Amino acid sequence: METQDRISALPDEILCHILSFLSTHDSFATSLLSKRWQPLWLFLSIINLDDQTFIQNGRSYPSFFKFSYGILLRCRMQQPLTIARFHLTPRVCGYSNDFPYHLFKKWVRIVIQRGIEQLYIEIPRALEVPHIIWSCKTLVVLKLYRLSIDVFVKVHLPALKTLHLDFLFISKSEYLAEVLHGCPNLEDFRAYHIFLDNKLEGIDFQTMPKLVKADLKLDYVFEFPLKVVSNVEHLRFFLKLKKESFPMFENLIHLELYLGSNIQWHLVIKMLSHCPKLETIMLHMPAEPYSCTSWICPQFVPECIASQLKRCSILNYTGRKSEMQFTKYIMQNSRALQTMAIRNTTIGKNYFSSRQNKRQMLQELVMCPKSSTNCKLFFK
């Protein structure tokens, strides 16, 4: 009895959608299955080059780029590219100096000329971002990992809505200001481990008017100007010990705050006092042992805590006295609070190693007076 090939009987649109989840090397390999599959990969609007593609080309940069160029040339030239991913990690390629930067720039130029909308790049070494990227009028999403900005380049990315910068090395702070200034329609910004000087005086960092979401995790040398992201609705932020001033976050409704190994509780309250519309806060306590100042009950209650806050979560909770006092402070002063969630993910030698201690802590929280009659306490 002949087995029916139901997958091959699917429409081209569905088969191309399936192929879009594969690496470009694997989607190209499907052309060998049968005549039905031969032309399908040519209609893909996605290029996905990764470590596996590098390995399948004998771990050779020349053969890898020869394959990459061949794919671009054989795909329908009149069809614009939507997504291009270029992921080569040091784990596979190593940190050697033989990465052919000139071939990489050529590949980027071809991709840009095809009207790319989403570009994802990770390379083994922190080399200069190809300048052509900074003037691409079609880019909507740009994610860069392990690259650098060494010289000043005029940035004009009018369509860009998402910008993620991870492990980016920038020679001068003014270059970062130019990148942000050149993205007037940015809605989603992420900066993880940006390395640059801390000379911010005289540099014009402007508030990004359309920014909705920001995710900031930076090294402890560079002090990111929060003015840039003060318009956001969702913010993930790693609070530094030396951070003493905050802009007003007039639109912020969701805050995910990570605390360092030396917690200053007055800074936490100070930041909350600059978020008048805040409805949700997720407070991440350090996963490792930490030091902290004693809790001193504030002489005032921030507006968001008094009337806006609906959800509060405290993660990596260990039951320390200051953590307990902060938790009680929130419950006693938040009239709109609906849920208080306590999460402990650091099971081990901590406060919760004793069931009796855990029971006492839970009882103390349950018995704590609550300003909101609708507040529910959750412990996970």
Side-chain angles (χ1 to χ4, degrees):
M1 183 177 177
E2 185 177 348
T3 304
Q4 185 179 3
D5 184 359
R6 295 185 177 181
I7 295 181
S8 296
L10 294 172
D12 287 359
E13 293 78 10
I14 295 179
L15 292 178
C16 286
H17 180 69
I18 294 172
L19 293 179
S20 69
F21 292 97
L22 303 177
S23 71
T24 297
H25 191 281
D26 290 340
S27 61
F28 169 71
T30 62
S31 65
L32 304 176
L33 293 175
S34 67
K35 289 183 178 181
R36 171 74 179 93
W37 289 83
Q38 270 183 1
L40 292 177
W41 72 275
L42 295 170
F43 293 90
L44 293 179
S45 59
I46 297 176
I47 298 292
N48 189 1
L49 303 171
D50 56 10
D51 286 340
Q52 193 60 33
T53 309
F54 180 74
I55 293 171
Q56 289 166 333
N57 281 276
R59 296 179 180 269
S60 162
Y61 283 124
S63 61
F64 171 81
F65 278 101
K66 183 178 180 181
F67 171 79
S68 305
Y69 298 146
I71 290 294
L72 286 172
L73 293 173
R74 294 184 66 180
C75 288
R76 296 174 52 129
M77 295 302 292
Q78 67 271 27
Q79 176 178 301
L81 280 176
T82 359
I83 302 174
R85 299 188 183 95
F86 189 101
H87 290 291
L88 291 183
T89 65
R91 178 180 58 83
V92 171
C93 304
Y95 289 96
S96 60
N97 295 323
D98 62 345
F99 180 79
Y101 181 63
H102 65 291
L103 296 179
F104 167 68
K105 285 203 302 182
K106 180 181 176 182
W107 180 87
V108 170
R109 185 175 67 253
I110 297 173
V111 165
I112 294 291
Q113 291 170 347
R114 293 285 297 275
I116 193 68
E117 295 179 9
Q118 299 183 34
L119 182 59
Y120 307 79
I121 293 179
E122 175 181 1
I123 58 176
R125 295 176 59 237
L127 299 172
E128 178 83 10
V129 178
H131 295 177
I132 193 173
I133 290 177
W134 300 123
S135 58
C136 179
K137 296 180 180 180
T138 58
L139 267 179
V140 178
V141 176
L142 177 61
K143 299 184 180 182
L144 302 176
Y145 190 101
R146 201 181 298 106
L147 285 104
S148 68
I149 303 176
D150 301 325
V151 296
F152 181 83
V153 179
K154 194 68 178 175
V155 177
H156 181 56
L157 298 170
L160 196 69
K161 293 187 176 182
T162 297
L163 177 63
H164 289 186
L165 306 175
D166 288 13
F167 284 92
L168 194 71
F169 295 79
I170 306 177
S171 298
K172 296 182 179 180
S173 299
E174 61 191 82
Y175 300 166
L176 177 60
E178 172 60 25
V179 169
L180 298 176
H181 180 67
C183 308
N185 294 304
L186 201 63
E187 297 177 359
D188 180 353
F189 176 61
R190 163 175 159 153
Y192 271 29
H193 304 295
I194 292 184
F195 302 96
L196 75 170
D197 63 66
N198 205 20
K199 300 174 182 177
L200 302 179
E201 188 175 348
I203 299 177
D204 185 20
F205 281 97
Q206 301 178 5
T207 302
M208 309 194 74
K210 297 186 179 180
L211 200 64
V212 176
K213 179 182 177 182
D215 188 354
L216 306 176
K217 182 180 182 181
L218 304 160
D219 71 281
Y220 275 74
V221 175
F222 176 57
E223 192 70 30
F224 188 86
L226 289 177
K227 168 188 174 183
V228 172
V229 300
S230 60
N231 200 50
V232 297
E233 295 179 9
H234 298 260
L235 175 64
R236 177 185 290 180
F237 180 61
F238 290 72
L239 186 63
K240 296 182 180 180
L241 176 62
K242 60 182 180 180
K243 191 69 184 176
E244 291 287 351
S245 62
F246 302 94
M248 287 299 294
F249 294 92
E250 298 287 356
N251 301 316
L252 190 64
I253 58 174
H254 182 104
L255 174 63
E256 198 167 345
L257 194 61
Y258 287 77
L259 303 182
S261 57
N262 194 333
I263 297 174
Q264 303 285 330
W265 287 107
H266 73 280
L267 289 183
V268 177
I269 297 299
K270 188 173 183 179
M271 184 169 187
L272 292 179
S273 69
H274 286 73
C275 310
K277 297 180 181 179
L278 191 67
E279 296 181 0
T280 301
I281 180 171
M282 296 179 66
L283 194 66
H284 292 257
M285 307 301 295
E288 302 297 327
Y290 66 89
S291 60
C292 65
T293 58
S294 299
W295 171 262
I296 300 176
C297 191
Q299 297 179 350
F300 69 98
V301 178
E303 180 182 350
C304 68
I305 294 179
S307 61
Q308 301 296 321
L309 194 66
K310 297 178 181 178
R311 292 166 292 274
C312 179
S313 298
I314 304 178
L315 291 81
N316 296 328
Y317 190 93
T318 60
R320 280 195 179 199
K321 184 178 180 180
S322 61
E323 293 176 0
M324 175 72 74
Q325 290 170 321
F326 174 81
T327 306
K328 286 183 176 181
Y329 173 77
I330 295 293
M331 292 194 295
Q332 290 170 352
N333 293 285
S334 300
R335 297 191 299 269
L337 193 65
Q338 297 173 1
T339 59
M340 168 63 78
I342 307 296
R343 295 188 174 97
N344 174 258
T345 56
T346 54
I347 301 298
K349 294 180 179 180
N350 57 36
Y351 187 92
F352 294 143
S353 58
S354 165
R355 289 187 178 182
Q356 184 177 358
N357 286 343
K358 179 178 177 179
R359 192 180 305 112
Q360 290 175 353
M361 185 276 300
L362 285 173
Q363 187 174 17
E364 189 172 350
L365 288 176
V366 170
M367 297 300 293
C368 173
K370 301 175 183 63
S371 181
S372 169
T373 57
N374 297 321
C375 179
K376 294 182 180 179
L377 179 64
F378 296 95
F379 181 84
K380 299 180 181 180

